[in-house]
Amino acid sequence: MPVARPEPSDARVISHVDMDCFYVQVEQRKQPELRGLPTAVVQYNSWQGGGLIAVSYEARKYGVKRSMRGDEAKKVCPQIHLVQVPVARGKADLNLYRNAGSEVVSILSRKGRCERASIDEVYLDLTDAAETMLSENPPEMLEAVDDEVLKSHVLGLDEDEGKEVENVREWFCRSSAEHRDKLLACGAIIVADLRMQVFKETQFTCSAGIAHNKMLAKLASGMNKPAQQTVVPLSSVEGLLASLPIKKMKQLGGKLGNSLQSDLGVNTVSDLLQFPEEKLQERYGINTGTWLWNISRGISGDEVEGRILPKSHGCGKNFPGPQALRKITSVQRWLNDLCEELSERLQSDLVQNKRVAHTLTLHARAYKSNDSDSQRKFPSKSCPLRYGTAKIQEDALKLFNSALRDFLGSHRSETLGNQNNGWGVTALSVSASKILAAPPGTGSILRFFHSCEPSSSSSKQNFSEIIQDSAPLSPSGSLSSSGLNQAEPQKRSTAEETQINCGTSTLNQDEQKRESSNYKGRCSILGFLKGSKPSCSSSKHEGAEIAQEALPVPPSGIDYCTEHNPGLPLKRSPEEENIVSQPSSDHSQQRREMWTYRVDEIDPSVIDELPPEIQEEVRGWLRPLKRANPVKRGSSITNYYLPSRKK
Ligand code: TTP
């Protein structure tokens, strides 16, 4: 549900940084000979050459899109290089990309509060850094402005042909500018510098938006890709939002956006401006009404959360069409694999970051061949998370069985047997959420880990033995138990504990400051891209196409692995779409209290971690208009906001 937070009266400088064709860049770093060539990353599935999940900008020029299969991509671009996603346990293994994302985060977090929003995007609050720069080293005093800064796109700036760079330089160095514009200019200089550091240290390019709030920064970051940044001065906000379709706004992609269109005839953000706040409140409630009124004016008080570690861990796999799982034994086999991976990631999170997850959730998508109740979805189920692979596997299977019983509307044991009773599971995932700092007393466990190789099977086994029985499942499904032995006395000193914490990818603040002040980059990332290979284009026209192509069309049959935001959406197979429905029998008295979710008990933070389609579904149960779908990344905003500047 959107939350209307007032914007602070003091101007903030917020940036949204989004990696360019991220998985492709990661693969190109591994195989540098692919740099600058049309390349796409495909899901390992061999059907029609696999599903494309990331497409290089060089390939996009030929019309290759994420929605295509490998074979189709080869037709439109015969020279394309298709790289397979790494596979582990029979499914996509995203660790390579996840770790690459962490490298970038550790660099971007050097200058201010940093929120890792997904595997490849972060928000930065650079207000303090910008204020410091403005008071100590304002742009108008700079001897030279970096090329990367001069390549910024400043919305609303006069863009006389041939004078773009001069105009941008003038905008950055105006001594007469308003304080908030000067702050934005400082923020943009800092972001350009950070982007260059990312490029130097990781070889990855990224694009950024710089604005006074998260919403505007996010809208701007996709406007000029790849390897460029866009600044949104306050005076340009109205122009940016005016013709933007309402459904492109964050949280208006779903039911709320639909209602605005059908009930109020609102199609663009400027249409929304005609409605007084009271009217919107009357229709959608006080909070949502105010939120709508605010966002139509570019007002958003959302804060950048200081979080560089994922909010949850999730592993899932799709089983489209004929691959659907029809036996409990098959489900169990896959659940075991998914839980094993989840358990490994939980263990390394505990060792590296001293964090403990508290909630295990199982989500699935399923069909039944005799279903007339097309509304009945496979319910998601949660329980307190117990550490140890075997325990997670056991609990996940119980959650699945309970959910299947609810789904089938029958408690009869034969419906859960191994014979096919007309049900099939087309997607399965497990996630661990409510991740909090490990409670005092886990020091000895951590020390135990430090003396072992975390990934060795013996350490895993021992770890399970240490803690697996410490937190029995709660029959009520309450989320209070951590799964760790909280009675363990704290034996580690604060200094030692801190040392463990620093085992993550973040540098300490002093090191970070030294590193960044030593950095005197004068290179231009875009220049590098243009110079290195012939095919990189940055024309405005292409920018619009690129942005449109970036709208994610989920490939079918893809697996996903999530951190904070689920990366890969589930897609219904044609077989599932065509299922004929039949009445289901009443099974309410057979519901087992132990695993049943009561809607009002659902922890909203858990919902955010689910695959997008399931999020929508769960929110639908909660309240029809409670929260609409978030807008997908890579919005095609350039199609609606006509930039006046040509390159
Ligand atoms: P995006 O940021 O949406 O796209 P991108 O980085 O590939 O390209 P762009 O430059 O337009 O931002 O997604 C980041 C990565 O997440 C992407 O490289 C691959 C993965 N991903 C999927 O696997 N499936 C999907 O449906 C989407 C949207 C992304």
Side-chain angles (χ1 to χ4, degrees):
M1 176 170 169
V3 179
R5 293 193 179 85
E7 215 168 56
S9 52
D10 289 342
R12 295 176 299 162
V13 178
I14 309 291
S15 179
H16 178 256
V17 182
D18 187 24
M19 306 307 293
D20 303 317
C21 55
F22 188 48
Y23 289 12
V24 171
Q25 288 204 77
V26 175
E27 294 297 343
Q28 287 175 331
R29 183 170 71 169
K30 247 171 68 187
Q31 302 180 61
E33 66 278 9
L34 295 181
R35 281 228 173 90
L37 301 178
T39 308
V41 174
V42 290
Q43 182 76 316
Y44 64 95
N45 180 339
S46 60
W47 182 63
Q48 291 186 0
L52 269 56
I53 56 174
V55 180
S56 77
Y57 282 83
E58 292 82 3
R60 294 182 200 194
K61 283 179 64 186
Y62 291 90
V64 179
K65 296 188 167 81
R66 182 155 35 210
S67 53
M68 292 177 172
R69 311 282 316 173
D71 291 351
E72 203 183 346
K74 282 204 156 150
K75 270 190 205 136
V76 296
C77 177
Q79 67 275 45
I80 194 166
H81 295 264
L82 299 178
V83 184
Q84 300 280 318
V85 167
V87 177
R89 297 187 180 92
K91 61 182 283 298
D93 176 7
L94 304 184
N95 273 327
L96 178 70
Y97 311 120
R98 196 177 292 118
N99 294 339
S102 299
E103 281 178 58
V104 173
V105 169
S106 74
I107 297 165
L108 292 176
S109 60
R110 288 173 186 167
K111 287 290 183 156
R113 197 160 60 238
C114 175
E115 175 184 328
R116 188 170 187 174
S118 78
I119 198 162
D120 81 327
E121 57 183 328
V122 305
Y123 288 98
L124 304 173
D125 187 333
L126 298 169
T127 312
D128 291 345
E131 290 278 14
T132 307
M133 179 186 242
L134 190 57
S135 62
E136 293 174 2
N137 199 13
E140 68 245 42
M141 308 292 280
L142 290 179
E143 277 175 23
V145 181
D146 199 282
D147 280 355
E148 199 56 47
V149 175
L150 295 177
K151 289 196 170 71
S152 301
H153 301 260
V154 181
L155 296 187
L157 203 60
D158 277 345
E159 304 202 343
D160 322 327
E161 204 146 344
K163 288 197 180 160
E164 299 91 347
V165 170
E166 269 326 297
N167 288 345
V168 171
R169 187 196 306 277
E170 200 184 307
W171 186 85
F172 270 90
C173 300
R174 281 177 313 163
S175 53
S176 60
E178 275 185 43
H179 178 74
R180 52 192 312 150
D181 273 359
K182 286 185 177 180
L183 270 187
L184 268 194
C186 292
I189 291 172
I190 294 166
V191 172
D193 187 41
L194 285 170
R195 288 178 43 244
M196 285 192 291
Q197 289 182 50
V198 167
F199 182 64
K200 274 192 152 184
E201 295 176 37
T202 66
Q203 303 167 31
F204 299 144
T205 68
C206 53
S207 300
I210 301 109
H212 291 304
N213 65 43
K214 282 172 92 171
M215 177 184 80
L216 297 170
K218 166 103 180 172
L219 284 173
S221 66
M223 291 182 70
N224 294 287
K225 272 186 150 250
Q228 295 170 78
Q229 61 181 45
T230 305
V231 185
V232 189
L234 190 62
S235 55
S236 306
V237 172
E238 201 181 325
L240 166 65
L241 295 177
S243 53
L244 189 68
I246 200 77
K247 304 229 14 173
K248 296 293 168 195
M249 295 294 282
K250 194 166 185 222
Q251 309 204 62
L252 292 182
K255 288 182 183 163
L256 184 52
N258 288 343
S259 163
L260 284 167
Q261 283 183 318
S262 56
D263 301 340
L264 299 186
V266 166
N267 289 310
T268 63
V269 177
S270 59
D271 293 342
L272 195 54
L273 286 172
Q274 301 157 14
F275 293 89
E277 187 174 0
E278 298 72 38
K279 172 102 184 161
L280 294 170
Q281 287 177 336
E282 249 167 55
R283 179 72 185 73
Y284 295 107
I286 303 249
N287 181 52
T288 304
T290 299
W291 179 80
L292 286 168
W293 192 88
N294 283 347
I295 57 140
S296 63
R297 287 157 182 80
I299 301 168
S300 164
D302 285 352
E303 298 222 338
V304 174
E305 292 170 32
R307 173 171 47 74
I308 61 176
L309 295 170
K311 218 165 144 186
S312 71
H313 298 290
C315 311
K317 180 162 174 69
N318 287 341
F319 307 95
Q323 294 168 28
L325 308 178
R326 293 157 188 277
K327 290 181 176 176
I328 287 286
T329 47
S330 324
V331 170
Q332 184 173 10
R333 215 169 27 244
W334 278 107
L335 270 183
N336 283 348
D337 281 356
L338 296 173
C339 292
E340 193 177 283
E341 181 185 337
L342 184 66
S343 180
E344 278 177 15
R345 285 170 55 197
L346 287 170
Q347 289 180 17
S348 72
D349 200 355
L350 175 61
V351 172
Q352 290 172 14
N353 310 312
K354 272 203 347 171
R355 301 196 310 162
V356 178
H358 291 250
T359 304
L360 174 69
T361 305
L362 175 127
H363 328 282
R365 179 174 293 287
Y367 65 82
K368 40 187 170 172
S369 51
N370 60 349
D371 186 8
S372 71
D373 179 7
S374 56
Q375 296 309 308
R376 190 194 292 275
K377 299 283 172 70
F378 198 93
S380 295
K381 299 267 176 175
S382 287
C383 69
L385 193 148
R386 297 186 298 163
Y387 273 66
T389 305
K391 290 292 175 191
I392 295 175
Q393 290 169 334
E394 184 189 325
D395 292 347
L397 184 62
K398 282 183 185 166
L399 293 177
F400 177 83
N401 280 331
S402 167
L404 182 61
R405 244 178 246 115
D406 288 358
F407 178 67
L408 294 175
S410 165
H411 69 289
R412 289 176 308 160
S413 56
E414 62 267 26
T415 59
L416 301 177
N418 271 329
Q419 69 273 31
N420 188 324
N421 289 294
W423 56 268
V425 169
T426 54
L428 206 51
S429 79
V430 282
S431 65
S433 59
K434 277 226 157 169
I435 306 183
L436 305 172
T442 49
S444 61
I445 294 171
L446 290 167
R447 193 162 49 245
F448 166 83
F449 256 120
H450 276 271
S451 64
C452 304
E453 173 55 50
S455 58
S456 77
S457 56
S458 68
S459 74
K460 272 187 252 162
Q461 181 58 42
N462 288 341
F463 180 71
S464 305
E465 283 166 7
I466 288 174
I467 59 177
Q468 69 184 4
D469 287 317
S470 60
L473 285 168
S474 142
S476 66
S478 79
L479 310 178
S480 57
S481 177
S482 74
L484 279 178
N485 183 357
Q486 303 203 13
E488 180 73 29
Q490 187 165 17
K491 292 178 187 144
R492 192 171 286 274
S493 70
T494 314
E496 285 171 293
E497 299 286 2
T498 311
Q499 211 175 350
I500 292 170
N501 243 343
C502 292
T504 65
S505 52
T506 342
L507 294 175
N508 86 32
Q509 285 289 34
D510 288 342
E511 282 170 352
Q512 291 163 5
K513 280 190 185 131
R514 267 199 304 280
E515 285 223 4
S516 51
S517 64
N518 286 342
Y519 180 71
K520 296 271 189 290
R522 285 285 178 268
C523 72
S524 151
I525 300 170
L526 200 59
F528 169 86
L529 287 175
K530 279 181 177 159
S532 64
K533 295 283 175 184
S535 46
C536 175
S537 162
S538 59
S539 81
K540 283 286 185 181
H541 177 62
E542 278 158 2
E545 287 173 356
I546 284 164
Q548 192 167 37
E549 286 166 19
L551 279 171
V553 182
S556 62
I558 54 179
D559 307 334
Y560 49 89
C561 238
T562 62
E563 285 193 337
H564 168 49
N565 285 348
L568 304 171
L570 298 165
K571 193 178 183 208
R572 204 180 279 269
S573 68
E575 289 81 353
E576 285 174 78
E577 303 287 5
N578 292 332
I579 296 203
V580 182
S581 301
Q582 296 277 316
S584 62
S585 63
D586 177 15
H587 69 299
S588 54
Q589 71 184 81
Q590 303 304 332
R591 244 173 225 276
R592 292 207 311 180
E593 274 183 20
M594 181 170 175
W595 297 106
T596 302
Y597 237 158
R598 279 187 26 219
V599 160
D600 56 1
E601 281 176 355
I602 294 177
D603 172 1
S605 74
V606 171
I607 300 170
D608 287 341
E609 319 311 331
L610 309 183
E613 287 184 23
I614 294 180
Q615 283 187 26
E616 193 188 346
E617 182 183 318
V618 176
R619 288 192 181 107
W621 309 335
L622 290 176
R623 192 193 310 162
L625 281 180
K626 205 169 177 186
R627 188 170 180 178
N629 251 2
V631 71
K632 302 263 170 56
R633 281 178 297 170
S635 101
S636 52
I637 184 168
T638 37
N639 281 1
Y640 324 112
Y641 178 75
L642 289 179
S644 49
R645 178 174 143 203
K646 290 201 180 74
K647 288 216 81 178

